[in-house]
Amino acid sequence: GALNTVLLITGSWCVARAVQAVRRDAVQAGARWLLGALVCGGGFVVVKLAEYAGKAQAWADMGDDTFYMLYFMLTGFHFLHVVVGMIAIVYLWWRTRRGAYGRHDCHALETGAAFWHMVDLLWIVLFPGLAIIVTAAVGLAAAGEQNLLNLFSPFAPQFLKYDSPFHIAAQLTVW
């Protein structure tokens, strides 16, 4: 998760630099910054696909676990937006290289940058939010607070619903 966060924030920095360059009519520099954003987005996609592949068997074993379904739906929805953002950046890169944008007009480039930044912001909220749910559930389970843990029940991974903190610790290494 932390590597993905670094990749997305770096990609946003590249997009912001591209917009700045194009506003100065440094169009080729702007195009190179857009390529940097694409590399970062591609890195995110590769890391996320590797994560999904690694967890595929665990998800199959979990069956109808609400947490894993929620996790996959939220991160999968974000993943799709990253891919759409990358497609938009490819289009913007192509148009930038052809001179379509510059000091005279960079509205479409700014719009694409805003979309990329919103995808980045979504991850910055989503990643810690999922971590907080897991951390809170683990803490409650380890403390034996079954009544409070039941509040998290729909969102907590199945393995947190066992009584033994040792069982939880063993399962966390899988997650």
Side-chain angles (χ1 to χ4, degrees), residues 44 48 51-52 59 68-82 122-123 126-127 130:
F44 176 90
K48 197 47 109 174
E51 177 187 326
Y52 286 159
W59 285 336
Y68 283 102
M69 187 182 321
L70 179 69
Y71 175 84
F72 181 72
M73 287 176 59
L74 290 174
T75 61
F77 189 68
H78 178 265
F79 178 88
L80 290 175
H81 279 79
V82 169
L122 177 62
W123 181 257
L126 180 66
F127 176 60
L130 289 170

Side-chain angles (χ1 to χ4, degrees), residues 154-172:
F155 306 109
Q158 272 319 88
F159 62 78
L160 294 178
K161 296 177 185 168
Y162 295 100
D163 291 331
S164 166
F166 298 107
H167 178 78
I168 292 169
Q171 291 298 316
L172 277 176

Side-chain angles (χ1 to χ4, degrees), residues 76-99:
F77 189 68
H78 178 265
F79 178 88
L80 290 175
H81 279 79
V82 169
V83 171
V84 168
M86 289 177 64
I87 292 168
I89 289 174
V90 166
Y91 174 77
L92 293 169
W93 169 78
W94 180 73
R95 300 262 303 149
T96 299
R97 286 199 57 203
R98 300 189 74 144

Side-chain angles (χ1 to χ4, degrees), residues 1-12 14 34-52 78-79 82-83 86 89 116 123:
L3 176 58
N4 281 336
T5 303
V6 169
L7 286 168
L8 288 177
I9 290 173
T10 304
S12 281
C14 290
L34 289 172
L35 284 178
L38 279 174
V39 168
C40 291
F44 176 90
V45 167
V46 167
V47 169
K48 197 47 109 174
L49 286 175
E51 177 187 326
Y52 286 159
H78 178 265
F79 178 88
V82 169
V83 171
M86 289 177 64
I89 289 174
W116 188 261
W123 181 257

